[in-house]
Amino acid sequence: MKKIINLGVIGSGFIVDTFLEAAAEFENLNLHTFYSRSESTAISFKDKYNFDKYSTCLEDMAKDENLDAIYIASPNAIHHDQAILFLQNKKHVLCEKAFASNYKEALNMINTAKENNVVIMEAMRITVTPNFKILKDNLHKIGEIRRCFASFCQYSSRYDKYKEGTILNAFKKELSNGALMDIGVYCLAPIINLFGPPNNIKSNTFLLSTGVDGQGSAILDYGTMDAVLIYSKIANSYIPSEIQGEKGSIIIDKMNNFENIKIVYRDGTVEDIGVKQHENNMYYEIEEFIKLVELSHSDAVYSSFNTLENTLNTMLTMDKIRQNLNIVFPADNK
């Protein structure tokens, strides 16, 4: 019989609802404590998803001996401090992307997890989906890779409020937000997973009045190939992403879910290589995290898909892109 994992959750954005809907499918995952600074919000989520209890005090929650693990989906700028608190109290941590505000914070989180012998994993859901794994297994079919083009542009539901003069969290610099951190990371993380960190970076952006990027682009130089990223929170795009090789190209319909992927060979032949995935693709990151927690008895086990190295390389590359564009978060100066 599998051990029940008592899970705590921090965050009340729409992504938490999606996460909790997927979490409900795992019989050995018990929703133990929901945290919010607002008691009314905490009670609302507790009742909606049948948590055992709620909390408005992170320190008390972290000291709960019955709590095994925590899912952090708070604003980017506070991922680090919240993760450190729970890691130091021997709790396993699944932390949303962007993993931290910068490389320095990410490294400290990972080192703290190792020092306390607990699991930490970035909740980058697309790189643990079946179709991403299939893409990696089929990459050799298109020969020498010459270019990767990754596009994710999604008009933010909060941008209209911004234009009206109301600045919501999505566009606040002090929360380490912006198009690169919230949207561009979906393009960057798979590229880092596939090809590693780049040799050089060129980047461009459109800055909003709050100092965060509304949209941006980057070219990552890998010597024999390059990777082109375009990302936006102020416009939509409907074009697919593509990995171009000398023998053919892999077409990815949407960079943020990898629902459909196919190979178009140089002679025009098309090979569909994707499989039908779970409707809620957060299912796979939860499945991976549970597996790690279950395996971590005497020594913590870390993901072979969402590796700690990939997380650090992604954060370091985002730091370099921001440095090129002079985007500085308050967290960078801590």
Side-chain angles (χ1 to χ4, degrees), residues 76 96-100 122-127 150 152 178-193 213 229-232 255-256 310-311 314-315 318 321:
N76 300 331
E96 263 304 334
K97 56 82 199 158
F99 189 70
E122 183 177 12
M124 176 52 67
R125 63 183 187 269
I126 54 178
T127 46
F152 184 28
L180 174 64
M181 299 291 282
D182 301 335
I183 295 291
V185 67
Y186 281 111
C187 298
L188 185 59
I191 289 172
I192 297 295
N193 192 301
D213 52 334
L229 289 68
I230 63 169
Y231 50 90
S232 178
M255 204 65 188
N256 64 318
N310 285 339
T311 293
T314 299
M315 290 306 313
M318 288 202 291
I321 291 172

Side-chain angles (χ1 to χ4, degrees), residues 87-88 90 107-118 302:
L87 292 167
Q88 289 176 337
K90 313 293 186 184
L107 182 61
N108 191 41
M109 291 160 64
I110 288 170
N111 285 340
T112 302
K114 290 179 177 179
E115 288 165 6
N116 287 277
N117 199 29
V118 287
Y302 302 103

Side-chain angles (χ1 to χ4, degrees), residues 76-85 99-100 105-106 108-109:
N76 300 331
I78 53 180
H79 284 180
H80 171 268
D81 290 355
Q82 290 178 343
I84 294 296
L85 172 64
F99 189 70
E105 287 189 347
N108 191 41
M109 291 160 64

Side-chain angles (χ1 to χ4, degrees), residues 17-50:
D17 288 293
T18 306
F19 176 89
L20 291 172
E21 288 165 6
E25 300 195 35
F26 294 89
E27 293 181 355
N28 63 325
L29 192 64
N30 177 58
L31 301 181
H32 188 263
T33 311
F34 184 88
Y35 167 83
S36 175
R37 291 176 300 171
S38 163
E39 186 171 37
S40 61
T41 300
I43 293 172
S44 175
F45 270 81
K46 172 193 173 294
D47 292 344
K48 182 178 180 180
Y49 292 103
N50 296 315

Side-chain angles (χ1 to χ4, degrees), residues 243-296:
I243 302 174
Q244 301 169 3
E246 292 185 352
K247 296 180 180 179
S249 295
I250 297 178
I251 310 297
I252 306 148
D253 67 334
K254 293 179 181 177
M255 204 65 188
N256 64 318
N257 60 32
F258 280 77
E259 277 183 8
N260 300 299
I261 52 174
K262 63 183 178 182
I263 301 175
V264 181
Y265 292 100
R266 204 170 59 228
D267 63 1
T269 304
V270 177
E271 181 185 2
D272 287 316
I273 58 174
V275 296
K276 184 174 176 56
Q277 298 185 147
H278 196 285
E279 189 174 315
N280 183 336
N281 65 6
M282 294 187 85
Y283 176 93
Y284 301 109
E285 70 181 38
I286 299 170
E287 182 181 51
E288 175 75 356
F289 183 66
I290 289 174
K291 180 188 75 175
L292 299 175
V293 172
E294 288 177 337
L295 289 172
S296 297

Side-chain angles (χ1 to χ4, degrees), residues 138-149 195 224-226 242-251 262-267:
N138 284 269
L139 201 57
H140 68 279
K141 291 183 178 179
I142 61 171
E144 186 77 18
I145 307 298
R146 292 307 182 193
R147 173 166 291 127
C148 176
F149 170 74
F195 307 114
T224 59
M225 63 160 282
D226 60 29
E242 182 178 30
I243 302 174
Q244 301 169 3
E246 292 185 352
K247 296 180 180 179
S249 295
I250 297 178
I251 310 297
K262 63 183 178 182
I263 301 175
V264 181
Y265 292 100
R266 204 170 59 228
D267 63 1

